[in-house]
């Protein structure tokens, strides 16, 4: 099972934190501990490690096969980190990190740290298309991209139909076809349509 998905920069500032299991301490202390584990590793080592240090944050794993594992990849100035248990394949999680990064790249056209800061809601939506409740739902980047675009289109249509001052779709949504808005009144006055 996947217990946490974290994205933080090379300074240890978290840009995304999603926990699928209850924490025994604050999320910030978990991020700091994981950052200290990951950032001090030499570049030549593999991208996963056993982390018994996380038991104080996430709970005790009694069986040796069930210990906490940290799987991570570094892209430019960001670390993508997954905390998993022994039921997950480390190589499968590395592939899943690649799927997440490719999905973010498609959504933001070459994702960077600022995209994660200013569009955190979309980032969480993309993550929810891939993982829910700690279980992998989708690994096909094409399917994830279609679902994210469909949700964005639906969100825009919903906004346009519920906001009578919306400029998309002729200024009024389907619900407010006969409503005169202050914007319509002002437009009429400026073009001379509503003058005496």
């Amino acid at each position: 099972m996947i217990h946490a998905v974290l994205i933080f920069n090379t300074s240890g500032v978290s840009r995304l934190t999603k926990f699928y299991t209850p924490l025994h301490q604050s999320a910030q202390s978990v991020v700091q501990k994981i950052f200290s584990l990951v950032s001090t590793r030499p570049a030549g080592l593999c991208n996963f490690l056993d982390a018994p240090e996380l038991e104080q944050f996430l709970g005790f794993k009694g069986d040796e096969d069930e210990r906490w594992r940290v799987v991570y990849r570094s892209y430019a100035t960001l670390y993508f980190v997954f905390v998993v248990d022994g039921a997950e394949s480390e190589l499968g999680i590395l592939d899943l990190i690649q799927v997440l990064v490719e999905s973010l790249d498609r959504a933001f056209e070459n994702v960077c740290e600022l995209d994660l800061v200013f569009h955190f809601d979309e980032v969480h939506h993309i993550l929810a298309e891939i993982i829910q409740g700690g279980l992998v739902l989708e690994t096909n980047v094409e399917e994830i991209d279609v679902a994210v675009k469909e949700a964005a289109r639906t969100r825009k249509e919903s906004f346009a139909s519920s906001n009578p001052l919306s400029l998309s779709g002729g200024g009024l949504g389907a619900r407010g076809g006969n409503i005169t808005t202050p914007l319509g009144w002002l437009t009429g006055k400026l073009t001379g349509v509503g003058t005496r």
Side-chain angles (χ1 to χ4, degrees), residues 7-174:
I7 301 174
F8 47 80
N9 64 15
T10 54
S11 300
V13 178
S14 71
R15 296 304 181 200
L16 174 121
T17 55
K18 181 68 175 174
F19 292 94
Y20 299 103
T21 56
L23 293 174
H24 298 287
Q25 293 187 18
S26 72
Q28 187 59 35
S29 59
V30 175
V31 171
Q32 289 174 348
K33 185 62 177 177
I34 292 173
F35 176 72
S36 69
L37 291 172
V38 170
S39 64
T40 58
R41 288 177 60 88
L45 294 180
C46 67
N47 288 358
F48 46 89
L49 63 131
D50 287 333
E53 301 91 346
L54 296 180
E55 288 180 351
Q56 64 182 339
F57 303 104
L58 298 170
F60 179 70
K61 290 281 192 184
D63 191 8
E64 180 147 333
D65 292 335
E66 289 297 316
R67 68 179 93 164
W68 299 107
R69 291 193 172 102
V70 174
V71 182
Y72 67 96
R73 297 255 335 235
S74 176
Y75 293 95
T77 62
L78 295 172
Y79 286 101
F80 290 77
V81 179
F82 281 49
V83 178
V84 299
D85 57 24
E88 296 292 336
S89 163
E90 291 87 358
L91 296 176
I93 296 298
L94 285 173
D95 284 341
L96 193 60
I97 292 172
Q98 183 66 32
V99 167
L100 175 61
V101 171
E102 286 181 25
S103 298
L104 291 171
D105 272 344
R106 284 190 181 205
F108 300 113
E109 297 175 15
N110 203 3
V111 67
C112 68
E113 188 173 350
L114 289 177
D115 292 324
L116 302 179
V117 172
F118 292 117
H119 303 285
F120 65 91
D121 54 339
E122 283 187 60
V123 174
H124 277 278
H125 180 207
I126 291 168
L127 182 62
E129 289 291 332
I130 300 171
I131 302 168
Q132 284 190 1
L135 302 174
V136 178
L137 292 180
E138 185 65 62
T139 59
N140 185 340
V141 178
E142 298 290 333
E143 292 291 326
I144 296 165
D145 189 41
V146 166
V148 168
K149 286 180 180 175
E150 177 65 22
R153 185 188 59 75
T154 305
R155 193 169 41 246
K156 286 178 185 174
E157 286 176 1
S158 174
F159 177 76
S161 68
S162 66
N163 187 358
L165 297 178
S166 173
L167 296 176
S168 63
L172 296 174

